[in-house]
């Protein structure tokens, strides 16, 4: 169980511009915190910037980056890292997370590519994470990502993730949907994978929907409702690690906010069940 304080609490929602105005007019009470990609907002002016400012002044926010490219072979973009720091400081952002992947090599590729699961890659990524944390003056968390191939694989996915987190001394953004997607695509037990993660490093979690391409192929689209096996895996994660903040992601086929809030409410319901169970266990001890 993670006994460290979390940066936010409860159930959150990934904020998208398509429903920014609706949130600005009537923020749903069920949403405890919001997440944004800083790249989509840095340097923005006008009405959307004012709407975002109004929300960050009233609600807890975290940031989930898209283009740090922590595993890339090219040097880190230190100017970009400093822009991130200024944005986080300016808006009082509670946590900054990124993908354990890369998306650039002498230019942005606009996709998340798998890092080879090797000892050399562990050292490479960990060194870059430490550099980023020093500039940002805060810890970051890395997300366990979905992937569809494993070039140069010398260790398992779970061993690679754990080695990077330990070597870099950074935290984990636990994406429950990605565990399910990868378990189907690569043929492993999602429950065993989940149990092997370092719960003490979890900062918060993601849950999302995906696309069924074939019986043995899932595509991580964030474009559908969350399915029952993913909800069940979230329930198991709370059983293993205690209740941690968890956020709903939806990037495509975005329904009205009220429909999104119903899934956020489901997160809260599962959290409340586990919180009540934990309180009973404490009282009986």
């Amino acid at each position: 169980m993670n006994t460290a304080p979390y940066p936010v609490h409860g159930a959150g929602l990934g904020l998208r511009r398509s429903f920014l105005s609706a949130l600005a007019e009537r923020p749903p009470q069920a949403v405890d915190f919001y997440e944004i990609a800083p790249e989509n907002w840095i340097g923005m002016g006008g009405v959307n910037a004012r709407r975002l400012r109004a929300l960050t002044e009233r609600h807890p926010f975290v940031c989930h980056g898209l283009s740090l490219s922590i595993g890339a072979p090219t040097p880190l973009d230190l100017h970009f890292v400093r822009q991130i720091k200024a944005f986080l400081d300016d808006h009082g952002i509670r946590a900054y997370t990124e993908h354990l992947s890369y998306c650039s090599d002498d230019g942005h590729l606009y996709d998340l590519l798998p890092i080879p699961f090797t000892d050399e890659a562990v050292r490479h990524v960990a060194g870059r994470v430490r550099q980023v944390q020093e500039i940002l003056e805060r810890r970051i968390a890395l997300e366990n990502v979905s992937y569809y191939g494993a070039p140069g694989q010398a260790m398992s996915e779970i061993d690679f993730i754990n080695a990077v987190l330990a070597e870099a001394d950074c935290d984990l953004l636990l994406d429950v949907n990605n565990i399910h997607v990868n378990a189907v695509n690569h043929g492993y037990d999602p429950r065993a994978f989940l149990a092997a993660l370092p719960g003490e490093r979890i900062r918060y979690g993601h849950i999302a929907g995906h696309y069924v391409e074939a019986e043995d192929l899932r595509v991580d689209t964030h474009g559908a409702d969350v399915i029952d096996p993913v909800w069940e895996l979230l329930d198991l994660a709370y059983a293993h690690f205690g209740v941690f903040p968890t956020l709903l992601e939806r990037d495509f086929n975005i329904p009205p906010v009220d429909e999104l809030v119903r899934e956020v409410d489901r997160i809260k319901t599962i959290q409340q069940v586990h919180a009540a169970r934990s309180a009973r266990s404490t009282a009986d001890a």
Side-chain angles (χ1 to χ4, degrees), residues 68 70 76 100 123-135 138-142 164 168-171:
L68 182 61
I70 199 65
L76 280 167
L100 182 51
R123 292 190 295 270
H124 175 69
V125 173
R128 289 161 69 91
V129 170
R130 290 193 297 269
Q131 187 177 6
V132 169
Q133 291 186 145
E134 183 176 354
I135 295 171
R138 50 172 59 83
R139 294 172 68 88
I140 71 170
L142 295 178
V164 169
D169 190 21
C170 66
D171 295 321

Side-chain angles (χ1 to χ4, degrees), residues 66-69 77 103-111:
L66 302 172
S67 55
L68 182 61
S69 201
D77 184 344
C103 57
S104 64
D105 185 7
D106 292 326
H108 266 277
L109 306 174
Y110 298 100
D111 207 349

Side-chain angles (χ1 to χ4, degrees), residues 109-128:
L109 306 174
Y110 298 100
D111 207 349
L112 298 175
L113 302 178
I115 303 169
F117 300 156
T118 66
D119 289 331
E120 181 182 8
V122 169
R123 292 190 295 270
H124 175 69
V125 173
R128 289 161 69 91

Side-chain angles (χ1 to χ4, degrees), residues 75-216:
L76 280 167
D77 184 344
L78 300 184
H79 173 68
F80 171 67
V81 177
R82 294 185 182 99
Q83 286 183 307
I84 292 289
K85 174 175 170 48
F87 183 85
L88 301 179
D89 291 345
D90 186 39
H91 283 277
I93 303 298
R94 304 285 187 90
Y96 174 63
T97 68
E98 250 288 358
H99 302 84
L100 182 51
S101 62
Y102 73 102
C103 57
S104 64
D105 185 7
D106 292 326
H108 266 277
L109 306 174
Y110 298 100
D111 207 349
L112 298 175
L113 302 178
I115 303 169
F117 300 156
T118 66
D119 289 331
E120 181 182 8
V122 169
R123 292 190 295 270
H124 175 69
V125 173
R128 289 161 69 91
V129 170
R130 290 193 297 269
Q131 187 177 6
V132 169
Q133 291 186 145
E134 183 176 354
I135 295 171
L136 295 181
E137 298 181 303
R138 50 172 59 83
R139 294 172 68 88
I140 71 170
L142 295 178
E143 179 188 64
N144 57 296
V145 298
S146 58
Y147 65 101
Y148 306 94
Q153 182 171 357
M155 64 177 72
S156 67
E157 177 193 352
I158 186 63
D159 287 344
F160 178 74
I161 291 171
N162 286 341
V164 169
L165 298 180
E167 180 77 14
D169 190 21
C170 66
D171 295 321
L172 172 67
L173 167 55
L174 174 53
D175 192 303
V176 178
N177 178 64
N178 287 349
I179 295 177
H180 174 81
V181 166
N182 290 346
V184 172
N185 293 346
H186 303 290
Y188 62 68
D189 180 358
R191 292 171 173 258
F193 184 97
L194 178 71
L197 288 169
E200 71 280 0
R201 292 189 183 271
I202 296 172
R203 292 292 275 164
Y204 66 94
H206 277 173
I207 193 164
H210 58 264
Y211 178 70
V212 179
E213 179 70 31
E215 183 177 347
D216 59 351

